[in-house]
Amino acid sequence: MEPLRGRSAELGQLLAAMRAAEGGEASLTVVMGEPGIGKSALVRALVEQAERHGLLVAQAAAHQTDELSPLASLAPALRSGAEPLISTEHFLELASLNAQPLWLGERLADLIGKRLDGVPALIVLDDAQWADPLTNFVLRVVVARLSRAKVMWLLATRPAPGALFEQLVDAVRDQVPVHAIQLAPLSTEAVLELAADRLGTPVDPALSVRLGGVQGVPFLAEQLVAGLYLAELPDGLVEGVRRRVSSTSELCQALLRTAAVFGSEFQLDDVAVLMGESIAKLAGALDEAIRAGLLADGLSTVSFRHELLRAAVLAEVPPSAQRALHRAIADQLLAGGRGASAAAPHILATAAAGDVSAINTLRAAAHELLETMSITAINVIQQTFELTPVDDSIRGDVGEDVVEVLLGGRQFAAAEAFADDLLGGTALYRGPVSPDLRAAIRLRLLPHMSATGRLTQCELDVPGASAPLADRMRAYRVLARLEEPFQTADPVAAGVQQLAAAERARAIGRYAEARDLYRAARAATGDEVGSHPAMHIELTELFCRAQLDDLAGALDRLKQLLGTSDSWLAPQLSALRARLELATGNLSAAADAAEDCLRWSTQVFDLSSQTPARQILALVALLKGRLTEAREQATDDQIRALLEVADGDTAAAARLLNAPLEYPERHTLLLNAATGTTDPQVAARAAELLTSQAEASPTLTFRSTAELVACWNELTYHPTADGAAARARLAEVVDGLRSSPRPLLLACAEALYGRVELEAGERKTAVAALESALASFTELGAAAPATRVQAMLQAAGVRRRKWAAVRARPESGWEALTPMERRVALLVADGHTNKSAADELVLSASTVGTHLRSAFGKLGVNSRVQLTRLVLERFASPPNA
């Protein structure tokens, strides 16, 4: 390999990143520069060094035509080299995931991660400005997932503001270090050295003067030496290429000009068909072009040696000839069954406004591309819309396609805005807006508006629409609770009304009825306009199944959907899985699913699932006794109230009653409210809410929790002579819960029963229940309740040589405080004196002083002012205020 001139500093930066990758620090480096500035040469130099160091090297270059082929840019890198990143079997498997970009990225990350497994690697994508949208998306997922692998990612690209690769860089910046290298023109000395390398002799003075005209661009210097660039001419490269081409045969010239219209990379048989020549006859012309330094043979395809060379050849093809060739290429691709999407670039290059044939082909192309290349599909349909006259009725139909494609590409806000402009009498469309067109466009938006709770903000009545569309509009009015259900023969309208009935049943906790209605609504969905997406319905159906204690069945189905269903729904799927894993007591799996939800929601730009994911993370942290971590994830009043209860503020339990019906593990939250307060009204209200829930859905979970609270309230606030009957009922509830799919609820019930029996003097029964609860909490990793149960056992005089591995209380900081020390600290921060705090807690002032001194020591403060400041920083305002 010839030496790399004038790029020692840049190569040094790349080598530093490569060495860091060998040491285990993954990174992404972006080399930017204008065409011909030497990006590819720099990449080749790094690849050579990487191979010398024994790194696994995978590399590919994107092409202009990649935009229409999913993963076309990255795929060659996956299979390059003697030891490819992906085996043939796995590579063929990936094709089935092209329509599911997130699952494709996750699968690729798994495969590449296993292939590397400690092996240092360099993965290169040259000409990244042309990378197809799926490649850009997949790289975002894979680079982030492999942030701990020994891999250096390298992109070489032209500056392109707003390009997709910039989104990639922004998306991974928080996961891996990102380095940017901007290539400047070479110095005069470096240009002369480069020329000498190519000539094999020193540069004579005359050539030195001419090299001054290349302005530091190494490609032009090389072409000047090769005779393809004339530095004294303003259009030196074009003139140089023209002279070289004119020296070849007429067939070679025709081959080059036809190929230039095809693109920077092409298949020889395509060009042969278009030219009406046999491949055998073109073989000689191809050899001429290769020897002239213009084309390169890549076995399956032929390409121009550099995009600037193609541009120079194309500049010699008159515009009218270019248009004719583009049209002929489009016709050839369509006739050969290559599909409308393959012909789309050539049609767009030639189509005139009002060309109905071109418009219809492009509409078909946009729908072909939507499943795998949504960004490209959006670009195609928007350009198609611009080809339609503003007063032509076809513009309305194409406008409906624009809305559909924008929605398919998850561009919801853009779809809504476009629809409003299209139907609002703006300059966007001056043609007739029929009632059916208006209804159809609105019906395309309504499922999304419904999913985001904004149905009432959308037009739900279109007078004059045909019967099926009118019924569907009415059905969405029923879903928005603006109209009562009605009879209809239209299956889509019937399905939407079943969905409306399911939503109403779920809103009042009638989960069995809701489950069956969701199932019926899902069976009625289809591809017709206005249909609600089946997967959205099934997610809610699975939630109802879980509420009905079918946790195992719901989880099994959810695991089937993860990785096979619409990957755009990954955040919602993982958020639901987090809820179900928490319900089954699998705390680690719940936290993992919630973290997946947060990561995937960022990947697909859907932040709606982040709140439930953070709720789960906070609840898991609370169970594990990690209060600081729970506080960082707290997003709602219920989590904050639980934290304050954990800090000793029993009055905060009242706020737990306000949890919505679908709050994660709401029944346990209400159980906490009843048993964590000293206010009988709070406990009574918790019992009332649980009873109502059990009446709506009389499952084991709801009935048992309601009975637990009822017994607790009776024993605490309405005790009989001995309370034996209530305690006996508690024992029955505990026994019944042994068949429950919710082990955490069973452990809570055992702990409550043990506490009650202990207070009744039934030590043997109490200890047995508490020890069972402790074993369950410990096995589940619920350190916080395990610690409380262990403390009850120790207070009851139970002695062991070694207690179970319960999370130890820290020696300093807020979590080092005992519950009473927290209560004292919060009251003092709220302005109480020792005496008033003692009155509040029914303690002596000296005892309060003892607790306060202990809190000062653990918190590292020595005054009430410092304590107040610390509490304000932690809580924003004292919880007792």
Side-chain angles (χ1 to χ4, degrees):
M1 180 177 175
E2 293 179 336
L4 184 69
R5 299 298 185 181
R7 300 295 187 202
S8 56
E10 292 87 347
L11 182 58
Q13 289 178 264
L14 294 178
L15 290 173
M18 185 185 77
R19 286 191 290 269
E22 291 180 281
E25 181 182 299
S27 66
L28 170 66
T29 300
V30 180
V31 176
M32 289 182 288
E34 299 296 336
I37 202 69
K39 301 184 293 296
S40 296
L42 183 60
V43 167
R44 287 194 297 271
L46 179 67
V47 166
E48 182 185 25
Q49 292 295 324
E51 289 172 340
R52 288 180 180 176
H53 281 74
L55 272 72
L56 188 156
V57 176
Q59 57 182 324
H63 299 89
Q64 280 182 309
T65 54
D66 285 358
E67 186 180 17
L68 298 174
S69 303
L71 213 64
S73 307
L74 184 61
L78 302 176
R79 298 289 298 142
S80 68
E83 301 179 46
L85 287 172
I86 306 294
S87 68
T88 302
E89 177 186 359
H90 287 145
F91 184 75
L92 294 174
E93 168 201 321
L94 295 175
S96 64
L97 295 176
N98 280 349
Q100 303 297 340
L102 188 57
W103 301 146
L104 176 61
E106 290 289 324
R107 180 62 175 148
L108 265 177
D110 288 339
L111 292 172
I112 295 174
K114 290 176 183 176
R115 172 67 183 85
L116 297 183
D117 192 22
V119 176
L122 169 66
I123 302 178
V124 180
L125 180 60
D126 202 356
D127 285 325
Q129 74 278 357
W130 287 326
D132 65 274
L134 187 58
T135 287
N136 277 287
F137 182 87
V138 163
L139 282 175
R140 287 172 48 194
V141 177
V142 176
V143 173
R145 274 283 309 277
L146 299 182
S147 59
R148 297 184 180 178
K150 295 182 176 182
V151 59
M152 174 184 176
W153 303 87
L154 176 61
L155 303 181
T157 179
R158 299 178 187 177
L164 291 176
F165 75 83
E166 290 189 348
Q167 296 179 14
L168 160 65
V169 171
D170 291 339
V172 305
R173 198 181 296 277
D174 293 336
Q175 281 77 38
V176 298
V178 176
H179 311 293
I181 298 177
Q182 180 70 53
L183 295 188
L186 293 178
S187 66
T188 301
E189 181 182 3
V191 169
L192 293 176
E193 290 174 345
L194 185 152
D197 294 334
R198 301 300 184 268
L199 291 168
T201 61
V203 178
D204 62 55
L207 181 57
S208 297
V209 173
R210 296 178 64 197
L211 284 169
V214 304
Q215 299 179 333
V217 178
F219 173 77
L220 294 182
E222 292 175 349
Q223 300 310 306
L224 178 61
V225 172
L228 284 179
Y229 178 67
L230 307 178
E232 69 276 8
L233 296 175
D235 298 318
L237 183 61
V238 174
E239 181 60 27
V241 170
R242 178 188 295 135
R243 292 188 180 186
R244 180 62 61 88
V245 170
S246 65
S247 67
T248 64
S249 67
E250 290 186 6
L251 186 59
C252 180
Q253 295 175 38
L255 167 65
L256 286 167
R257 288 168 181 154
T258 305
V261 177
F262 258 103
S264 57
E265 186 180 49
F266 56 92
Q267 293 182 358
L268 186 61
D269 52 352
D270 282 340
V271 175
V273 171
L274 187 64
M275 294 177 63
E277 301 286 357
S278 67
I279 294 179
K281 187 173 181 180
L282 283 182
L286 175 62
D287 184 58
E288 278 188 83
I290 291 172
R291 284 187 284 104
L294 297 171
L295 296 181
D297 192 346
L299 298 181
S300 60
T301 60
V302 181
S303 61
F304 281 86
R305 286 192 176 275
H306 197 283
E307 178 57 25
L308 290 176
L309 295 177
R310 171 181 173 261
V313 172
L314 191 60
E316 292 303 296
V317 183
S320 58
Q322 289 188 35
R323 292 178 63 84
L325 281 171
H326 277 302
R327 177 62 74 178
I329 291 170
D331 292 342
Q332 176 181 315
L333 293 173
L334 289 170
R338 302 278 279 276
S341 59
H346 301 287
I347 292 175
L348 286 170
T350 63
D355 186 338
V356 176
S357 175
I359 289 170
N360 287 331
T361 302
L362 291 172
R363 292 171 69 184
H367 285 91
E368 281 181 17
L369 292 164
L370 184 56
E371 284 191 3
T372 56
M373 307 285 286
S374 60
I375 294 175
T376 304
I378 290 171
N379 291 336
V380 169
I381 198 62
Q382 288 176 332
Q383 292 181 70
T384 306
F385 184 76
E386 293 304 317
L387 289 173
T388 61
V390 294
D391 56 352
D392 193 322
S393 60
I394 195 176
R395 191 170 172 92
D397 296 332
V398 178
E400 183 183 348
D401 286 348
V402 174
V403 173
E404 182 181 0
V405 173
L406 285 170
L407 290 170
R410 317 292 290 183
Q411 301 291 321
F412 300 120
E416 291 176 33
F418 181 86
D420 288 341
D421 286 343
L422 185 72
L423 302 177
T426 66
L428 194 66
Y429 179 40
R430 295 299 189 187
V433 178
S434 68
D436 276 7
L437 176 62
R438 180 178 294 276
I441 290 176
R442 288 304 180 197
L443 282 166
R444 293 201 179 279
L445 294 170
L446 290 180
H448 171 67
M449 301 291 279
S450 171
T452 54
R454 295 182 296 126
L455 264 186
T456 55
Q457 300 174 23
C458 193
E459 184 180 3
L460 295 174
D461 187 18
V462 180
S466 60
L469 298 182
D471 277 4
R472 294 172 195 179
M473 295 294 292
R474 282 188 69 191
Y476 274 98
R477 287 181 61 80
V478 175
L479 184 58
R481 302 192 179 188
L482 299 175
E483 185 171 331
E484 291 301 312
F486 61 93
Q487 293 295 320
T488 177
D490 181 69
V492 174
V496 173
Q497 289 195 84
Q498 287 172 318
L499 176 61
E503 296 279 87
R504 292 181 183 184
R506 180 168 60 92
I508 58 175
R510 301 178 69 88
Y511 295 115
E513 181 182 341
R515 174 201 58 200
D516 295 342
L517 285 166
Y518 281 126
R519 190 171 296 157
R522 184 159 54 88
T525 60
D527 296 329
E528 291 190 62
V529 61
S531 284
H532 216 278
M535 186 54 61
H536 286 270
I537 299 174
E538 186 169 9
L539 279 174
T540 320
E541 180 189 330
L542 289 175
F543 166 78
C544 292
R545 288 176 61 181
Q547 294 294 81
L548 294 168
D549 286 346
D550 183 15
L551 282 171
L555 258 177
D556 286 346
R557 176 56 179 161
L558 196 59
K559 289 174 182 177
Q560 290 174 12
L561 295 175
L562 278 162
T564 59
S565 63
D566 184 353
S567 63
W568 294 111
L569 292 177
Q572 293 97 308
L573 289 165
S574 52
L576 179 57
R577 181 177 181 181
R579 291 191 65 156
L580 302 192
E581 296 286 8
L582 176 63
T584 60
N586 195 339
L587 303 188
S588 296
D592 289 345
E595 292 289 0
D596 284 343
C597 175
L598 295 178
R599 177 164 54 87
W600 287 340
S601 66
T602 301
Q603 295 285 4
V604 302
F605 304 107
D606 178 9
L607 305 184
S608 62
S609 298
Q610 291 204 350
T611 294
R614 294 194 185 282
Q615 286 174 343
I616 299 300
L617 288 172
L619 290 170
V620 170
L622 278 166
L623 285 165
K624 290 181 174 290
R626 300 169 181 168
L627 300 187
T628 299
E629 183 180 325
R631 188 166 283 105
E632 290 171 353
Q633 297 291 350
T635 57
D636 56 65
D637 195 51
Q638 279 66 49
I639 300 294
R640 297 186 187 97
L642 282 172
L643 285 163
E644 290 165 24
V645 170
D647 283 333
D649 182 7
T650 56
R655 302 210 306 278
L656 299 177
L657 303 178
N658 299 325
L661 189 62
E662 295 180 2
Y663 197 88
E665 299 302 279
R666 178 177 181 264
H667 55 279
T668 306
L669 204 68
L670 294 175
L671 178 62
N672 287 334
T675 58
T677 183
T678 56
D679 187 338
Q681 292 184 341
V682 172
R685 179 58 179 157
E688 181 183 335
L689 291 170
L690 283 166
T691 300
S692 175
Q693 197 169 33
E695 289 173 350
S697 291
T699 63
L700 176 62
T701 294
F702 296 148
R703 286 187 290 104
S704 299
T705 313
E707 186 67 5
L708 285 173
V709 172
C711 292
W712 169 260
N713 287 354
E714 183 178 330
L715 289 165
T716 305
Y717 301 110
H718 309 287
T720 58
D722 58 8
R727 297 194 339 261
R729 281 170 28 225
L730 266 180
E732 290 178 6
V733 173
V734 171
D735 285 341
L737 281 172
R738 299 197 190 284
S739 61
S740 167
R742 289 178 161 84
L744 272 172
L745 179 59
L746 171 60
C748 288
E750 289 177 323
L752 184 64
Y753 178 54
R755 177 178 168 186
V756 166
E757 290 293 283
L758 203 59
E759 291 174 355
E762 299 292 337
R763 185 178 183 279
K764 182 177 180 181
T765 306
V767 168
L770 290 172
E771 287 189 328
S772 179
L774 177 60
S776 296
F777 283 135
T778 303
E779 182 180 354
L780 295 169
T787 300
R788 291 192 291 271
V789 172
Q790 180 174 305
M792 282 192 278
L793 284 167
Q794 290 172 327
V798 177
R799 297 290 179 264
R800 292 183 184 175
R801 289 186 178 180
K802 184 177 182 181
W803 288 92
V806 173
R807 181 182 174 89
R809 189 187 303 278
E811 295 183 1
S812 62
W814 188 260
E815 293 176 15
L817 304 185
T818 66
M820 187 55 70
E821 288 168 352
R822 289 194 198 110
R823 285 290 285 129
V824 169
L826 292 170
L827 288 169
V828 169
D830 198 24
H832 282 269
T833 64
N834 283 17
K835 185 176 184 308
S836 64
D839 292 341
E840 179 83 13
L841 299 172
V842 196
L843 298 172
S844 69
S846 62
T847 300
V848 168
T850 300
H851 287 309
L852 186 60
R853 285 191 295 276
S854 177
F856 275 12
K858 292 176 180 178
L859 295 175
V861 300
N862 53 29
S863 71
R864 292 170 181 261
V865 173
Q866 291 178 341
L867 174 64
T868 301
R869 185 180 298 116
L870 186 150
V871 170
L872 286 172
E873 289 173 354
R874 186 177 184 83
F875 295 102
S877 63
N880 299 303

